[in-house]
Amino acid sequence: MEWVKTKECAREFMVGVAEMTVEFGKGCRDIVKQSLVNEDSFIVKNLGRDSYIGKKLRGPCAKLFAKLSFFNEYLPEDKDPLHAWSVIFFVFLFAFLALYVNFERDPDAPPVKQVFLHPPSASRVVLPDGRNMAYKEQGVSSHKARFSVIAPHSFLSSRLAGIPGVKDSMLEEFGIRLLTYDLPGFGESDPHPKRNLESSATDMAFLADAIGVKKFWVVGYSSGSMHAWAALRYIPDRLAGAAMFAPMVNPYDPMMTKEERRRTWNKWTRRRKFLYFLARRFPRFLAFFYRRSLLSGKHGQIDRWLSLSLGRRDKALMEDPIYEEFWQRDVEESTRQRNVKPFVEEAALQVTNWGFSLSDLKLQKRKQSSYVLSWLKSMFTETQEYTGFLGPIHIWQGMDDKVVPPSMTDFVHRVLPGAAVHKLPYEGHFTYIYFCHECHQQIFTTLFGTPQGPLSIPINVDQATQETNIEQQEVVDDDDYATN
């Protein structure tokens, strides 16, 4: 009997709670109607049927509802269409959300790999402003290097990328010293409070000074190319040449023709276009998207993270376990500081004013000033002064690249006709530079010619004679000791 009484009390209590909830909902509805839907409310005055906006939208909405009125034939005759379709819409919305949540928590789905924080492993140099720059060195040592190469990394990458998959034996064969570094705020490098492309080129020059490099080649891949372009503009006297792979340029560059801009933007997904729009107009809003994707603490597919549309060969490469392992390790290093600001800055740099134009890099004769001294100098000297970058620029472009479309390279070649463009049929954005030994051989041969190995270190004759005499003396001493 006590159990039955407890059960009845619990039932009556739940009925009372339900009635109170219903009455509370009705009260909230009445409050909303009186405060927001009343004729004197702000919403009705500005968005109601008799408001300016309401009058403007009344005609188009009436036409739209007239076109969709044939759906009302499928409703019961005793149901109001407005009420019925509002219920159908909300039911459909809740069903979609339920399916989405169920999909996200599918127990049969493979587990998502967590982003792992690795111990620090980079070498560091201290820049003049006190910041630490992390870098990685590959290939031959400084005193044996025939060629020094510095490679700034692309978006969502780090110093670990470099030239992906390049073998140390090949660097040794060509006598190359390869240096890669973390951009400010990426990897183990300290952030820069007010960085731009000029400061990026200056950091590159400071790094070269700190490790004893006078002249070097700069390698730019994808979005990392904008830092290479900046080096060509701001520190041209430090560069021996430039090698670009699918080089990114500003898609809003005013020098682009309508056809070049159309061919470029048509290759991108709507999400990527929207992210570029945010980066250009509202860069702070990018932080929300990057925290949910890049800094979520979980690995994801690169095409989803960066909103890329990939060709057939690029998709096949992404499924390769070797590439996947390399890329995930690179991402873990790129995001190790868990700070969204460097990614927002990098995205904004791509689509805003660079501070220079690619036409500034074009090799051309310097215009003579009207001063008399300049005219007299030109009369007695035969040397002609030039502006722009004097060294070679090589560009490799995959013709099936949908990340950086070939139309961008066509634009660069139009502006810089002196650049040597190597078009690669059937190659995508990743396939030519990632883990391709034959491709790396072709690239280095194009840039540096026949491999000659590292430099041989000359030995001082007097020093060699002295070392020989010391060795001979040690041998004589040993013989005397053995005899005694």
Side-chain angles (χ1 to χ4, degrees), residues 304-343:
R304 292 179 57 189
W305 271 6
L306 302 181
S307 303
L308 304 179
S309 54
L310 301 178
R312 179 177 54 85
R313 296 190 63 184
D314 278 335
K315 290 181 179 178
L317 179 66
M318 288 180 58
E319 297 174 357
D320 191 320
I322 297 177
Y323 168 75
E324 184 178 5
E325 180 181 358
F326 173 88
W327 178 71
Q328 289 186 353
R329 177 66 182 91
D330 190 28
V331 168
E332 289 172 344
E333 189 63 27
S334 178
T335 60
R336 69 178 294 122
Q337 298 189 32
R338 315 300 299 165
N339 185 6
V340 74
K341 184 179 178 182
F343 295 94

Side-chain angles (χ1 to χ4, degrees), residues 68 203 300 336 403 483:
L68 299 178
D203 285 352
R336 69 178 294 122
V403 180
T483 304

Side-chain angles (χ1 to χ4, degrees), residues 313-314 397-401 424-429 431-432 439:
R313 296 190 63 184
D314 278 335
Q397 176 66 53
M399 301 309 292
D400 194 31
D401 191 340
L424 310 170
Y426 313 113
E427 297 287 354
H429 189 67
T431 53
Y432 189 73
C439 304

